[in-house]
Amino acid sequence: SYVLTQPPSVSVAPGKTARITCGGNSIGSESVHWYQQKPGQAPVLVIYYDSDRPSGIPERFSGSNSGNTATLTISRVEAGDEAGYYCQVWHSSGDHVFGGGTKLTVL
Amino acid sequence: QVQLVQSGAAVKKPGASVKVSCKVSGYTFSIYAIHWVRQAPGQRLEWMGWINTDNDHTKYSQKFQGRVTITRDTSASTAYMELSSLRSEDTAVYYCARGPSFDSWGQGTLVTVSS
């Protein structure tokens, strides 16, 4: 089965840039979605189809995908961005796969 | 606005079944698929399966094949997820989400499996 690998945690100071990676075999040939999840809440879509932003999501959130790594980039990080972040793909096998999640800590 | 509202929390005994509902509003039910995702305490999101709300086609994760059944009632704009032969490891929050990019989610339903 297809596996997506994320770092368990990323720490960043306010105002700096956070980059969260999602590794998978030839993930660049898949479409990647990213979700933000705060404690006790349902996930929220922040990036879809690699780099598109839903309405209401700040421009500070961006995504890229190439080769074996997809990346979620959060610019000018704010305290309110502290959350868990999950990548997800709809693999060619027909299954939807989530990464293990990354906890973003704002220092 | 788009809303997915799920049924309330449930406590079940091992071996029992649970059925969770997901009622949608704010859009035409049959245009978008409904997916089911669960999250055990402190664990990652885990995809269970989905239903094409137009033609009733379903696909399940191999992990849950044989134990999960996803159905829909178009007249009620509601999708259902039934999980059988429950065990303690099935204790989790169960979510429905709108496909294909999971752009809207239900609030989650806590299912506790305990003797």
Side-chain angles (χ1 to χ4, degrees):
Chain A
S1 61
Y2 194 65
V3 176
L4 297 176
T5 302
Q6 297 183 237
S9 62
V10 168
S11 299
V12 63
K16 299 299 186 182
T17 297
R19 293 179 178 84
I20 298 173
T21 58
C22 176
N25 186 31
S26 299
I27 194 173
S29 64
E30 312 285 354
S31 291
V32 180
H33 309 311
W34 290 91
Y35 306 89
Q36 175 193 71
Q37 187 180 33
K38 296 183 177 179
Q41 297 183 18
V44 172
L45 179 70
V46 294
I47 293 291
Y48 63 105
Y49 294 123
D50 296 342
S51 58
D52 290 338
R53 261 181 300 103
S55 60
I57 300 301
E59 292 183 11
R60 301 185 296 104
F61 287 80
S62 62
S64 63
N65 184 19
S66 179
N68 292 319
T69 304
T71 304
L72 173 68
T73 301
I74 308 172
S75 305
R76 303 181 300 283
V77 167
E78 303 174 356
D81 298 330
E82 187 162 287
Y85 291 85
Y86 292 87
C87 58
Q88 179 248 321
V89 304
W90 186 3
H91 188 244
S92 51
S93 66
D95 284 0
H96 292 258
V97 181
F98 287 93
T102 298
K103 173 155 176 54
L104 176 66
T105 299
V106 181
L107 301 171
Chain B
Q1 73 281 23
V2 174
Q3 281 194 304
L4 286 71
V5 179
Q6 300 181 219
S7 48
V11 179
K12 297 292 182 180
K13 294 193 181 303
S17 297
V18 67
K19 191 170 186 176
V20 181
S21 67
C22 172
K23 182 172 177 59
V24 315
S25 60
Y27 72 95
T28 302
F29 179 69
S30 59
I31 290 180
Y32 296 92
I34 292 291
H35 293 256
W36 289 89
V37 176
R38 79 176 188 181
Q39 188 172 38
Q43 300 300 310
R44 71 170 66 190
L45 299 167
E46 186 172 33
W47 178 76
M48 301 180 69
W50 71 284
I51 186 165
N52 181 321
T53 51
D54 184 37
N55 61 19
D56 205 29
H57 172 81
T58 55
K59 178 164 172 58
Y60 304 123
S61 165
Q62 195 166 6
K63 175 174 180 176
F64 300 101
Q65 191 81 37
R67 281 210 303 145
V68 68
T69 304
I70 299 175
T71 56
R72 59 62 161 135
D73 180 345
T74 303
S75 65
S77 297
T78 301
Y80 303 89
M81 185 283 300
E82 184 170 21
L83 187 62
S84 62
S85 303
L86 290 169
R87 34 203 186 238
S88 58
E89 309 90 88
D90 294 318
T91 293
V93 176
Y94 290 76
Y95 295 101
C96 59
R98 189 176 81 163
S101 55
F102 302 17
D103 61 349
S104 294
W105 294 64
Q107 81 277 20
T109 296
L110 175 62
V111 175
T112 303
V113 182
S114 174
S115 55

